[in-house]
Amino acid sequence: MAHLATPPHRTGLLVFQPVKRKQCAECRGGPLAMLVLEDGAPRCLDCADLGHLVFLPRGDTALTRRSREESGLSAVVVRFNRRKGRYERQGVLVEEGALARAEARCLADAEARRRRRERDARRRAVEDVRFAEAFAAEILRLFPGCPADRARGIAAHASLRGSGRVGRSAAGRALSEGAVVSAVVASVRHLDTPYDQLLMSGVPRHEARRRIAVAVAGVLEGWR
């Protein structure tokens, strides 16, 4: 039999998905979707006493491992890849009850992971609130004339997780004066000057910043 006469190294039962049409040497049934080699002759799963097993395709490593752990009888399913010239694993055969128990274990794990993600999300949310409050307090320390609501808005914007803004930088997380001032300057630039309109009208960024520098400095001086 082409390919089936030299099966791959195996540990435990091995089942083949034949490349060519095959019939069972015992019951003459076929063509066989899966077969077992006994003394070099193909046997269908029923004749090989494996017909009660169910096929679990490869892809879910955890489910496969747990299914084999739960199953008193199991087999690895392989198919010959002509292009690569080797056998490749396609999945496993396991007892139906074992697969159900393994699926239940994986679902329990998924639920545990979901709950852990929710706990982590709540923890991060609390950390983010505390950090934004600390950032706002530092703004007010440096700029006591800044309205409190404005300071909180600047802090929330600058420290948004995943934003890549100055508040999420190493300097920002350390509440360095340079990072805090940069966040305040950016807010003033966009909200208290015609900077955005200049950019929209085609003025280059550096030129736009030059034009509004006096206005920015005036706001900052008033807040100090």
Side-chain angles (χ1 to χ4, degrees):
M1 295 177 64
H3 311 315
L4 297 183
T6 55
H9 177 71
R10 51 178 284 192
T11 55
L13 297 175
L14 197 64
V15 170
F16 297 89
Q17 290 181 344
V19 176
K20 297 182 179 180
R21 293 167 64 91
K22 299 293 178 182
Q23 287 184 316
C24 177
E26 188 169 329
C27 71
R28 308 309 299 173
L32 302 177
M34 297 185 194
L35 60 86
V36 176
L37 279 180
E38 291 184 349
D39 299 324
R43 297 285 192 281
C44 68
L45 297 186
D46 286 334
C47 290
D49 294 329
L50 300 178
H52 64 294
L53 302 181
V54 294
F55 178 59
L56 173 61
R58 67 182 180 181
D60 190 325
T61 304
L63 181 59
T64 297
R65 173 174 53 80
R66 289 177 169 173
S67 295
R68 298 193 73 185
E69 291 172 354
E70 295 281 352
S71 190
L73 181 66
S74 65
V76 175
V77 179
V78 298
R79 182 179 178 86
F80 190 79
N81 186 317
R82 289 172 168 171
R83 182 174 60 83
K84 297 180 180 179
R86 66 168 185 256
Y87 284 91
E88 295 181 334
R89 183 169 176 153
Q90 303 301 308
V92 294
L93 290 171
V94 294
E95 295 165 343
E96 188 169 6
L99 177 56
R101 291 190 295 274
E103 288 173 334
R105 289 171 61 186
C106 288
L107 285 174
D109 276 0
E111 176 65 13
R113 288 193 296 272
R114 183 187 67 79
R115 292 180 180 179
R116 184 166 60 249
R117 287 195 298 269
E118 289 179 350
R119 289 195 301 271
D120 290 344
R122 289 194 294 270
R123 174 183 53 78
R124 288 193 298 269
V126 170
E127 291 174 351
D128 289 349
V129 169
R130 290 174 178 170
F131 177 67
E133 290 174 348
F135 202 98
E138 187 64 10
I139 291 174
L140 292 174
R141 186 186 72 82
L142 295 172
F143 301 96
C146 177
D149 287 347
R150 181 69 179 275
R152 286 192 292 268
I154 294 172
H157 180 79
S159 63
L160 182 65
R161 186 180 292 270
S163 65
R165 295 172 187 146
V166 66
R168 302 311 303 185
S169 66
R173 291 195 299 273
L175 296 178
S176 76
E177 181 173 333
V180 174
V181 171
S182 292
V184 174
V185 168
S187 176
V188 171
R189 184 183 295 138
H190 289 290
L191 299 182
D192 299 288
T193 76
Y195 179 67
D196 290 353
Q197 291 92 325
L198 292 173
L199 293 180
M200 288 297 292
S201 66
V203 177
R205 181 170 60 89
H206 293 296
E207 173 61 17
R209 288 194 176 191
R210 187 191 65 78
R211 293 185 189 182
I212 54 102
V214 172
V216 170
V219 174
L220 297 182
E221 184 61 29
W223 285 355
R224 284 193 173 96

